[in-house]
Amino acid sequence: RNVEPIGYWYHLAASVAHDIASGLYFGTKKNANAKKDDDDDEDKEYNRGNADGKAFIKLSEEDLETDWYDLLKLVSGEGATENEIRSAYRRRCLETHPDKQPDRSDVLFKRVQRAFEILGDPNSRRAYDSSRPFDDTIPDEDLKLDEEAFFNVFRPVFDRNRKWSIDTRIPKIGD
């Protein structure tokens, strides 16, 4: 049985897999047995990476508290496809480009860049999404339901949890 990690455990599994596979630590060679600097603990940053050797993206506390979907003005939020994210990013780049700002400020433009850094990569997006608030409530198990009522009550629970699966070909409950 394959169990997919989420939240903190996803972060931990991704970090360990990356360290084991490549010996890279944020894009620089580092001895896997070396101890981390004390400063690493003070930064309170969550690391994201994968085992294919790509560099990690650090997710800071500010990154985790920011709604990057809202910044890109994605109506579908976490349900947005890669193409929707890419087109929203391009549109927001045009809107926030420093040449189009009255004060030539690049602050918002840099935030749009950061949003795409996080949401444009499937692994960093998954790490970011796993840190967001999530409704994990389950209806009372003592409910006496007929078959149709069961599907109506539990379908939303399965739909909410489906987003954590790596395999996207999951049928809806009751189909």
Side-chain angles (χ1 to χ4, degrees):
R1 178 175 142 204
N2 186 15
V3 178
E4 298 176 7
I6 61 170
Y8 169 80
W9 296 107
Y10 172 78
H11 158 71
L12 185 62
S15 296
V16 168
H18 181 271
D19 289 345
I20 291 171
S22 65
L24 293 177
Y25 187 74
F26 296 112
T28 60
K29 289 282 184 186
K30 183 175 181 177
N31 184 348
N33 297 325
K35 293 183 178 180
K36 290 183 179 179
D37 296 335
D38 292 336
D39 297 339
D40 289 345
D41 294 335
E42 294 172 9
D43 290 340
K44 291 184 180 177
E45 292 182 334
Y46 300 92
N47 309 326
R48 192 271 317 153
N50 53 31
D52 65 1
K54 291 184 180 177
F56 277 83
I57 292 177
K58 285 185 175 184
L59 295 177
S60 67
E61 288 293 329
E62 181 183 347
D63 289 336
L64 298 176
E65 293 169 2
T66 303
D67 186 352
W68 297 114
Y69 294 102
D70 187 46
L71 185 77
L72 291 179
K73 296 184 178 178
L74 285 162
V75 177
S76 52
E78 290 183 20
T81 65
E82 289 181 31
N83 288 336
E84 290 172 333
I85 291 172
R86 192 176 308 109
S87 64
Y89 163 70
R90 289 177 180 158
R91 180 179 26 81
R92 291 294 287 153
C93 278
L94 291 173
E95 294 169 0
T96 62
H97 195 277
D99 290 344
K100 294 192 176 190
Q101 304 304 313
D103 59 354
R104 298 251 187 241
S105 174
D106 67 346
V107 175
L108 189 54
F109 184 72
K110 286 181 180 178
R111 289 182 54 82
V112 169
Q113 298 290 323
R114 182 65 177 163
F116 188 69
E117 248 180 48
I118 293 170
L119 300 179
D121 177 62
N123 291 321
S124 61
R125 180 179 179 188
R126 185 175 169 107
Y128 170 71
D129 286 347
S130 70
S131 70
R132 294 171 53 89
F134 179 70
D135 178 13
D136 60 353
T137 58
I138 298 174
D140 187 21
E141 64 184 60
D142 296 334
L143 290 175
K144 303 293 184 211
L145 305 169
D146 63 5
E147 186 175 318
E148 185 61 32
F150 173 84
F151 291 124
N152 290 336
V153 170
F154 283 93
R155 184 175 288 120
V157 175
F158 282 87
D159 288 344
R160 285 192 305 263
N161 284 282
R162 177 183 309 151
K163 77 176 191 174
W164 302 115
S165 178
I166 293 172
D167 186 357
T168 57
R169 300 168 295 140
I170 298 174
K172 293 188 177 201
I173 185 170
D175 287 349

